[in-house]
Amino acid sequence: MIGVVYLGNNPKTQERLKYIPGQLVRVTNAYKDAAQICTPHVSNEHFLVFFERSVRSEDITAITYLRKKCRNVYIVLITETMTPEERNIYIKYGINDTIQQAASVTELNKKIQFISDRENILFDDEAPKYGILKFKIPVWKRLFDIVFSCLAIIVLSPIFILTAIAIRLESKGPILFKSKRVGTNYTIFDFLKFRSMYVDAEQRLKELSQDHNQYAEARDDKEEQKTTITAPLGDQAEMDMLNMGMESEMMISDEEIMLVGDDFVVAESDFNKKKEEEINNAFVKIENDPRVTKVGKFIRKFSIDELPQFFNILKGDMSIVGNRPLPLYEAEKLTADASIDRFMAPAGLTGLWQVEERGKGGNMSAEERKQLDITYGQTYNFLLDMKIIFRTLTAFVQKENV
């Protein structure tokens, strides 16, 4: 079993860690003591360190020391919401994962179990080439991907040729469409598809109404009007409001916290609501998309446009079964702690959410998709992959134009 260490001095976190079932968590508030604890006494001994976030400069010193002294640790940062810039800094110095500061005993235990179940993947007992441990695809899964993709390319080669001819005859432009996608460990790669849109499709996306987005949540007009107050304020006006205790019409309640920026004032609750809405609506899906060509509609209906991804699989960018690689503009909105686990799993051609939700017409919330992706990342195995492949082959014809 993996050893668990808590490095910090938050009494609430310490109390919750005491109730992890079947797990003794060693506690210290000194990083040198934590490094000593994480020194292996037997071969292949690994440790999970829950690191309580504090002052950044002090945190970096502690993380750097742990990484230097202990190459067999997986560090999970306990933190409140972080900006992408903050997250990148902590990752640069050796943080592997994050978890919310208010995480429950169940959530903490699930994190421990998730890492323990993948101990042979996440830890490299040989001398590490990099300072940060990352998810590694299992050997059985990689071998299956190579064999399956090679057979698929050979068997489906007539369809590849006919599709390429049809695309070229209907419209000008390249036969294949390449887009940057984010897969496992937030790795960016060129994602291949048969072109199903007109060559200026990316420009047309901005012109489409947000009402066409299946994943955009309905908003109440009145709530939208009061979400953000953008009236410019001068320095004196800000001081007057603060001195008056914020006793103006902008005050929503006596206990409401107002965030004052360079050129706006907004209630903290409204700001958080807007931020959550942006994350929930990260996925963009357009119904009856007018950018799609006639050939494109046909190859999309029968999922033929996805076939070039077998070359991505053969190359190692993705797997047969996994979580769908996301466009950059979607992935950048899924860096919150609640979503990061979907990237600690294989990226795939088909996956759990496709077979679970396609029978419902493809209509689902962004949260449902994220949760199914996270579920797959925590539970995937050979039998589950075979089940997903079988269900994909029997349901590849989409009944709706989604």
Side-chain angles (χ1 to χ4, degrees):
M1 179 181 292
I2 191 171
V4 181
V5 178
Y6 171 69
L7 176 54
N9 54 10
N10 188 322
K12 294 182 179 179
T13 304
Q14 293 179 17
E15 184 67 22
R16 285 193 289 267
L17 288 171
K18 288 181 181 179
Y19 294 97
I20 300 295
Q23 182 70 60
L24 174 64
V25 180
R26 282 170 281 189
V27 178
T28 180
N29 60 2
Y31 63 85
K32 292 185 178 180
D33 291 342
Q36 187 174 2
I37 293 173
C38 294
T39 300
H41 301 287
V42 296
S43 61
N44 300 330
E45 187 178 12
H46 307 131
F47 294 89
L48 164 62
V49 176
F50 283 111
F51 188 103
E52 192 82 41
R53 183 184 176 189
S54 182
V55 180
R56 184 194 296 177
S57 59
E58 297 177 1
D59 290 347
I60 290 174
T61 300
I63 296 167
T64 303
Y65 186 87
L66 282 172
R67 282 289 172 210
K68 182 179 180 180
K69 296 294 183 180
C70 310
R71 61 179 178 85
N72 57 343
V73 295
Y74 189 97
I75 304 177
V76 177
L77 184 69
I78 301 177
T79 179
E80 296 179 346
T81 303
M82 303 174 69
T83 64
E85 292 76 17
E86 290 174 328
R87 186 181 301 278
N88 289 337
I89 290 173
Y90 275 92
I91 289 175
K92 176 182 177 181
Y93 285 96
I95 288 297
N96 299 108
D97 200 353
T98 61
I99 193 168
Q100 285 285 354
Q101 195 171 56
S104 64
V105 174
T106 300
E107 291 171 328
L108 290 167
N109 187 47
K110 285 178 65 177
K111 182 68 70 175
I112 294 172
Q113 291 302 316
F114 176 78
I115 296 169
S116 296
D117 291 344
R118 289 156 178 78
E119 187 174 356
N120 62 328
I121 299 173
L122 296 174
F123 293 91
D124 185 359
D125 292 311
E126 298 178 357
K129 296 180 180 179
Y130 306 100
I132 301 175
L133 299 173
K134 295 184 178 181
F135 173 82
K136 298 179 182 179
I137 190 168
V139 175
W140 65 264
K141 192 171 180 66
R142 180 60 187 146
L143 290 176
F144 177 81
D145 289 339
I146 293 173
V147 174
F148 193 102
S149 58
C150 286
L151 291 175
I153 291 171
I154 295 171
V155 172
L156 299 173
S157 56
I159 297 178
F160 276 84
I161 296 172
L162 291 175
T163 303
I165 294 173
I167 292 173
R168 178 55 58 87
L169 290 176
E170 182 185 20
S171 61
K172 296 180 180 180
I175 294 172
L176 292 179
F177 175 75
K178 296 181 181 180
S179 65
K180 297 295 183 181
R181 293 292 180 101
V182 181
T184 305
N185 297 317
Y186 287 94
T187 301
I188 300 174
F189 64 94
D190 287 326
F191 184 80
L192 303 178
K193 296 183 74 171
F194 279 123
R195 182 172 59 83
S196 60
M197 293 183 176
Y198 295 101
V199 291
D200 61 346
E202 293 295 332
Q203 298 176 358
R204 298 188 186 191
L205 179 61
K206 297 179 181 180
E207 300 174 2
L208 292 176
S209 170
Q210 182 68 16
D211 294 337
H212 289 290
N213 187 356
Q214 285 182 230
Y215 298 127
E217 299 178 355
R219 305 176 192 173
D220 185 272
D221 291 339
K222 293 182 180 180
E223 291 183 356
E224 185 175 359
Q225 290 175 1
K226 67 179 183 180
T227 297
T228 305
I229 303 171
T230 59
L233 294 175
D235 294 338
Q236 185 59 46
E238 291 182 12
M239 290 300 298
D240 290 342
M241 291 182 69
L242 293 172
N243 292 333
M244 294 173 62
M246 302 297 287
E247 295 175 358
S248 69
E249 294 182 359
M250 293 184 186
M251 193 64 179
I252 298 176
S253 69
D254 292 339
E255 298 180 356
E256 179 65 280
I257 298 175
M258 305 301 291
L259 304 179
V260 181
D262 291 338
D263 57 357
F264 69 89
V265 176
V266 61
E268 184 179 39
S269 59
D270 288 338
F271 175 83
N272 292 334
K273 180 179 179 181
K274 183 70 174 178
K275 189 68 176 178
E276 181 179 359
E277 181 181 280
E278 290 177 356
I279 294 174
N280 289 338
N281 293 338
F283 298 106
V284 176
K285 185 100 168 179
I286 308 297
E287 288 187 282
N288 300 316
D289 197 332
R291 301 171 296 167
V292 181
T293 64
K294 292 180 181 179
V295 172
K297 291 179 181 178
F298 178 84
I299 62 177
R300 280 189 171 195
K301 179 179 180 181
F302 294 95
S303 300
I304 296 173
D305 61 323
E306 309 286 351
L307 296 184
Q309 288 155 42
F310 283 116
F311 290 99
N312 283 122
I313 295 168
L314 192 59
K315 183 181 176 183
D317 294 328
M318 49 193 287
S319 184
I320 297 293
V321 182
N323 295 332
R324 193 67 170 165
L326 299 181
L328 300 182
Y329 63 86
E330 293 183 9
E332 69 179 0
K333 297 180 182 179
L334 295 178
T335 57
D337 296 336
S339 304
I340 200 169
D341 278 350
R342 82 171 303 282
F343 296 97
M344 283 292 295
L349 175 65
T350 186
L352 187 60
W353 75 262
Q354 285 95 332
V355 298
E356 291 290 338
E357 299 296 333
R358 182 165 291 180
K360 300 178 182 179
N363 294 314
M364 72 194 80
S365 68
E367 184 60 30
E368 287 177 310
R369 277 187 60 176
K370 286 185 286 188
Q371 291 306 316
L372 285 171
D373 286 344
I374 292 172
T375 298
Y376 175 78
Q378 295 174 342
T379 62
Y380 78 90
N381 53 60
F382 181 76
L383 292 179
L384 177 60
D385 279 12
M386 295 303 102
K387 181 180 178 181
I388 291 174
I389 291 173
F390 176 78
R391 293 180 64 183
T392 301
L393 293 175
T394 56
F396 74 96
V397 179
Q398 300 184 21
K399 295 182 179 180
E400 299 204 16
N401 183 24
V402 296

